[in-house]
Amino acid sequence: MASLYRMNIQQLDKIGPKKAEQFEKLGIDSVGSLLRYYPRDYEDWSKPYTIAEAPINETCCVRARIESASPPARIRGNMVIYKLVASDGNDCMTVTLFNQGFLYDRLSQGGEYLFYGAVKRGRNGFEMASPKIDPVSCECIRPIYSHTSSLSGKQIENAVRQAAALLPKEFNDPIPHDIRTEYGLCDLGFAIKNIHFPENIQALKDARKRLVFEELLILQLCIGMRSNGIKECHGYRIEKDYTDEFLRQLPFKPTNAQLRVIDECVSDMQKPSYQLHRLIQGDVGSGKTAVAAAVCYTAAKNGLQCAFMAPTEILAEQHFFSLTELFSRSGLKIELLTGSTRASEKKRILSQLLTGNIDILIGTHALLSDNVIFNKLGLVITDEQHRFGVAQRAALSAKGNSPHMIIMSATPIPRTLAIILFGDLDLSIIDELPPGRQKTETYLVDSSKRERIYRFILKHINEKKQCYIVCPLVEQGESALFSAEEYYTRLKNSILKDCRIAVLHGKMNPAEKESVMESFSSGETDILIATTVIEVGVNVPNAVIMLIENAERFGLSQLHQLRGRVGRGTERSYCIMVSDNESPATKERLNVLCKSTDGFFIADEDLRLRGPGDLFGTRQHGLPELKIAGFSDMPTLEQTRSAAESILSNDPGLSLPEHKALLFEVRRMLSSDINA
Ligand code: ADP
Ligand code: MG
């Protein structure tokens, strides 16, 4: 199959440079990756029901013959209605089509068809509105692909069909033969064909089982190889614990949980031949920064340089300011390096870094560039790590002589999952919030309440408080949603028009972002309209309202993060989620947030409520994105863990010839991580 990853998809019929570009937006850049673009769902047209047997109100396929058709009826304006009566010999149903003349014209009276839609019981018996209709020769299970506005599901299906025909008869299967036998897995060729175009339900199940296994096996191999690499390393051993000295400079009393975690980290660094390698989990506001600062302090006082990497410039700056203040009496030298650091300044920082005159360097991805060279890098901390991939962390740690590593996770990860996915990291949990924190009151409302919400906001702004409004990222073709800029216009036409309103979004350059953020944190802006750039870490205690538009667009953990931006001071604060989504599942999901403020509970619920196909959220946790495995595949995760262990125990580098195809897939997963 490796050769298909090198085959350009433009070699397929009907795909030119323009179309190829659209495929690329979906991450498809070769015939091979097209075959790995699995359907999001299926429509089962393979076993049509009779009318009476069809489950009422559920979408399904019914086979029936068209008995009669009434002439098209034009009702108001442009709406044309077509009515048909279809019978399966025993029962009849009325089929209504709206404005679908092209479909209607294709049908012939007396002809037998498959109707895909929901059968309902109406006043005059069975009926079905706007079904898909196809000839009876189309009895099969059909793939449904996630598509874009300019690339339809049909076009994707067409391309996949051609690609599947190019699969060689024989090729190396990434999963070794004995493992396939042991776990009862079909071969890759069968799996690929049947995941797209299943022969029947069983074949689809077999295909899915195999592909899920493969994906999780490869994930486990990535993790396993990483952790094998780490076991051989050890960081600089530190002599003395300076935590008490640090705590005397801290303006507040640390919580017991903070003290415990600081101690766990420092003791690791004091062990002989050991590398501190820890995931620190703590709910929003649990005070992870102070913990990181304490560990940095001890490392730096022991003569090691520290790197502290944050996912956004805003956050990096914030850490820089708080650490500078905290360390003002320590004699330690702290610098900030981001993409917008001026060239002359950068030059100075880089040279002082090399000579060891800088103790702590805080920054963004900029820290990863090749010209950032440390004198004695001993500790690397990455904050809000889900924004960084495994590979990026590895790149930073490669700048030192296996430096100690701390990874701080913004979003709690359920413990079961953390242990499996971060098997190579020790886990520290800050399970306590600083005293005196207010619970943020959380509400879910529909857009009919918007005027009321605006009045509520206005009242708080008149009391000199501030407010965040978050809009989802708008992609092309989603006209139903407001972009942040459009929202600004809307507010300027509302009762909030006299407030000082600013917009913050990802497309702005760093300097613009910084000035917007600065004016908000200094209180010169009342309302900050933002996309999720403010999701992580931003700290403006005077902001007491978080209004989230189209809340259904966000994941639970993400919403919890957003909510964490308020309730940072002593004032009562509010999180208001607006959603017009009617689906009970969505409401249940959003209501979890109204009920709980416990990030770990929310993370568990988030995981539980994600349907199969809507993954572990591994992207969030800095692991490669999974394309097929889902929460329901937990048991497989355990199996692949032991399979991966047994493979690596014989062949730690996957260098044996029978593991060639497997190594290829491992590399593919890791590189997708780097490119993301
Ligand atoms: P997070 O864990 O979400 O990164 P931060 O480190 O940003 O949280 O801390 C949130 C706020 O709580 C900061 O303003 C910080 O100064 C404050 N804080 C941290 N620890 C304590 C504590 N033990 N007592 C009081 N305030 C604290
Ligand atoms: Mg933080």
Side-chain angles (χ1 to χ4, degrees):
M1 179 137 176
S3 60
L4 293 184
Y5 289 113
R6 286 189 299 269
M7 190 188 283
N8 193 314
I9 59 165
Q10 292 190 43
Q11 299 193 13
L12 302 177
D13 208 21
K14 294 203 180 126
I15 300 182
K18 270 251 160 56
K19 274 277 163 264
E21 230 169 72
Q22 286 154 6
F23 275 98
E24 209 150 312
K25 285 198 183 127
L26 294 172
I28 301 168
D29 57 1
S30 66
V31 172
S33 56
L34 175 62
L35 286 171
R36 292 290 193 172
Y37 190 78
Y38 307 130
R40 161 176 70 76
D41 202 356
Y42 299 87
E43 284 177 0
D44 189 355
W45 296 57
S46 71
K47 293 217 166 55
Y49 288 94
T50 62
I51 294 169
E53 276 169 2
I56 295 294
N57 291 335
E58 274 177 40
T59 306
C60 67
C61 181
V62 171
R63 182 172 173 147
R65 194 176 292 282
I66 296 181
E67 298 259 289
S68 64
S70 29
R74 180 172 298 273
I75 57 165
R76 68 183 152 77
N78 300 328
M79 176 72 85
V80 183
I81 288 192
Y82 305 84
K83 272 192 194 296
L84 312 163
V85 175
S87 156
D88 61 13
N90 289 317
D91 298 278
C92 291
M93 66 176 178
T94 310
V95 175
T96 315
L97 304 176
F98 301 92
N99 280 354
Q100 287 169 291
F102 60 96
L103 175 59
Y104 179 83
D105 292 339
R106 261 185 13 219
L107 305 172
S108 61
Q109 201 159 328
E112 199 176 13
Y113 293 92
L114 301 173
F115 298 83
Y116 194 84
V119 176
K120 303 201 165 157
R121 237 183 255 283
R123 251 175 301 153
N124 304 316
F126 295 111
E127 44 191 56
M128 190 186 265
S130 319
K132 297 183 188 170
I133 306 178
D134 267 315
V136 287
S137 58
C138 296
E139 275 187 20
C140 64
I141 301 170
R142 298 189 182 175
I144 308 292
Y145 295 94
S146 298
H147 56 93
T148 60
S149 49
S150 41
L151 193 61
S152 73
K154 260 272 164 293
Q155 286 171 318
I156 297 173
E157 181 180 336
N158 235 321
V160 174
R161 220 173 262 288
Q162 296 179 54
L166 294 174
L167 271 173
K169 279 225 162 47
E170 297 268 328
F171 56 90
N172 280 338
D173 195 313
I175 306 186
H177 188 265
D178 49 337
I179 290 186
R180 266 186 291 149
T181 315
E182 184 177 347
Y183 295 96
L185 305 170
C186 65
D187 67 60
L188 181 58
F190 180 90
I192 294 270
K193 283 192 190 117
N194 280 281
I195 201 73
H196 292 290
F197 310 111
E199 287 162 19
N200 52 51
I201 293 285
Q202 190 55 45
L204 174 58
K205 279 190 184 149
D206 292 344
R208 189 174 183 285
K209 177 178 168 189
R210 137 89 209 205
L211 294 171
V212 165
F213 191 98
E214 178 186 286
E215 180 166 65
L216 294 176
L217 176 66
I218 289 162
L219 177 68
Q220 293 294 337
L221 288 169
C222 292
I223 295 168
M225 290 169 87
R226 186 174 81 191
S227 93
N228 284 347
I230 287 160
K231 276 182 205 132
E232 291 151 20
C233 311
H234 38 87
Y236 294 106
R237 183 176 177 189
I238 59 153
E239 299 293 327
K240 186 164 173 237
D241 181 356
Y242 286 86
T243 304
D244 287 338
E245 185 178 308
F246 168 81
L247 293 178
R248 282 198 293 279
Q249 300 169 47
L250 196 66
F252 43 76
K253 190 170 163 297
T255 62
N256 287 327
Q258 283 172 314
L259 287 176
R260 192 190 68 241
V261 174
I262 294 169
D263 185 55
E264 284 167 351
C265 295
V266 173
S267 333
D268 280 357
M269 296 194 296
Q270 286 177 312
K271 290 179 196 160
S273 317
Y274 197 81
Q275 188 185 13
L276 157 67
H277 203 238
R278 232 169 233 288
L279 175 68
I280 298 183
Q281 290 214 62
D283 209 341
V284 181
S286 58
K288 292 184 284 288
T289 316
V291 170
V295 184
C296 267
Y297 191 87
T298 285
K301 284 281 174 177
N302 277 279
L304 302 180
Q305 286 180 304
C306 307
F308 194 161
M309 184 160 74
T312 62
E313 294 205 2
I314 294 173
L315 264 187
E317 271 157 26
Q318 200 173 281
H319 285 328
F320 174 70
F321 292 125
S322 39
L323 262 64
T324 305
E325 200 171 297
L326 267 179
F327 293 173
S328 57
R329 289 181 290 139
S330 66
L332 294 175
K333 188 144 168 49
I334 309 181
E335 292 287 353
L336 174 68
L337 183 67
T338 68
S340 45
T341 306
R342 264 180 287 118
S344 56
E345 177 80 352
K346 186 169 171 186
K347 207 168 152 209
R348 177 186 63 77
I349 291 175
L350 293 182
S351 84
Q352 292 188 346
L353 194 65
L354 196 57
T355 55
N357 287 337
I358 293 173
D359 299 296
I360 299 168
L361 183 62
I362 298 177
T364 53
H365 293 82
L367 299 191
L368 296 173
S369 10
D370 287 336
N371 55 3
V372 177
I373 306 165
F374 291 81
N375 181 287
K376 192 178 182 187
L377 178 61
L379 171 66
V380 171
I381 300 182
T382 50
D383 187 15
E384 321 290 4
Q385 58 97 30
H386 66 256
R387 296 288 176 101
F388 294 110
V390 175
Q392 287 173 317
R393 285 203 310 261
L396 188 52
S397 106
K399 291 181 179 290
N401 180 12
S402 42
H404 299 293
M405 295 272 271
I406 291 179
I407 291 147
M408 297 201 291
S409 157
T411 322
I413 304 163
R415 199 184 173 95
T416 45
L417 195 57
I419 289 170
I420 298 170
L421 295 182
F422 294 92
D424 58 330
L425 300 185
D426 295 317
L427 193 59
S428 283
I429 298 185
I430 312 180
D431 49 5
E432 188 185 347
L433 292 180
R437 285 279 157 81
Q438 300 268 341
K439 264 207 174 107
T440 298
E441 289 177 34
T442 305
Y443 303 96
L444 174 61
V445 299
D446 61 41
S447 57
S448 69
K449 303 281 188 319
R450 204 176 271 121
E451 289 307 310
R452 260 180 75 185
I453 300 169
Y454 286 174
R455 283 199 296 278
F456 186 74
I457 292 175
L458 189 57
K459 176 172 154 272
H460 283 84
I461 286 173
N462 289 336
E463 292 165 7
K464 302 267 175 304
K465 295 282 171 268
Q466 288 163 283
C467 167
Y468 292 104
I469 300 182
V470 174
C471 301
L473 269 183
V474 180
E475 289 174 20
Q476 265 184 346
E478 288 186 321
S479 50
L481 300 178
F482 281 99
S483 68
E485 288 98 335
E486 286 165 340
Y487 203 91
Y488 177 86
T489 317
R490 161 193 277 207
L491 285 193
K492 279 294 169 195
N493 290 311
S494 77
I495 54 164
L496 296 171
K497 61 179 183 299
D498 298 325
C499 300
R500 297 165 302 175
I501 307 172
V503 178
L504 184 70
H505 60 76
K507 291 203 194 80
M508 292 161 67
N509 71 39
E512 289 171 325
K513 279 190 212 165
E514 185 186 349
S515 87
V516 168
M517 228 22 244
E518 217 160 276
S519 98
F520 190 67
S521 53
S522 66
E524 284 156 34
T525 301
D526 302 312
I527 300 178
L528 182 63
I529 305 175
T531 52
T532 46
V533 264
I534 59 153
E535 178 192 337
V536 283
V538 174
N539 196 16
V540 181
N542 192 49
V544 297
I545 301 178
M546 167 62 67
L547 172 62
I548 305 168
E549 294 282 351
N550 291 100
E552 75 280 355
R553 285 307 202 85
F554 299 94
L556 277 185
S557 295
Q558 213 179 3
L559 290 166
H560 181 60
Q561 265 296 322
L562 285 170
R563 174 169 63 182
R565 299 310 107 217
V566 296
R568 307 202 132 228
T570 47
E571 304 289 330
R572 232 164 115 174
S573 51
Y574 307 87
C575 172
I576 305 167
M577 299 181 284
V578 182
S579 173
D580 286 332
N581 194 298
E582 296 280 337
S583 131
T586 305
K587 285 195 171 149
E588 183 190 351
R589 200 166 64 84
L590 296 176
N591 267 316
V592 169
L593 227 70
C594 302
K595 280 185 299 209
S596 175
T597 52
D598 175 352
F600 285 93
F601 173 77
I602 290 169
D604 272 331
E605 286 293 288
D606 200 10
L607 209 51
R608 187 178 68 76
L609 295 171
R610 284 169 201 272
D614 185 6
L615 324 178
F616 294 117
T618 46
R619 182 81 274 168
Q620 279 194 29
H621 303 321
L623 285 171
E625 182 180 18
L626 299 180
K627 294 192 158 60
I628 189 164
F631 183 52
S632 59
D633 299 309
M634 272 296 192
T636 312
L637 193 56
E638 305 272 6
Q639 288 179 346
T640 54
R641 196 181 191 199
S642 48
E645 272 166 14
S646 94
I647 292 173
L648 291 179
S649 69
N650 290 325
D651 183 15
L654 296 183
S655 43
L656 293 176
E658 64 261 38
H659 293 150
K660 194 170 163 218
L662 193 54
L663 181 61
F664 182 83
E665 293 293 340
V666 166
R667 292 217 171 108
R668 231 168 53 82
M669 186 178 272
L670 284 174
S671 71
S672 76
D673 180 40
I674 294 170
N675 297 334

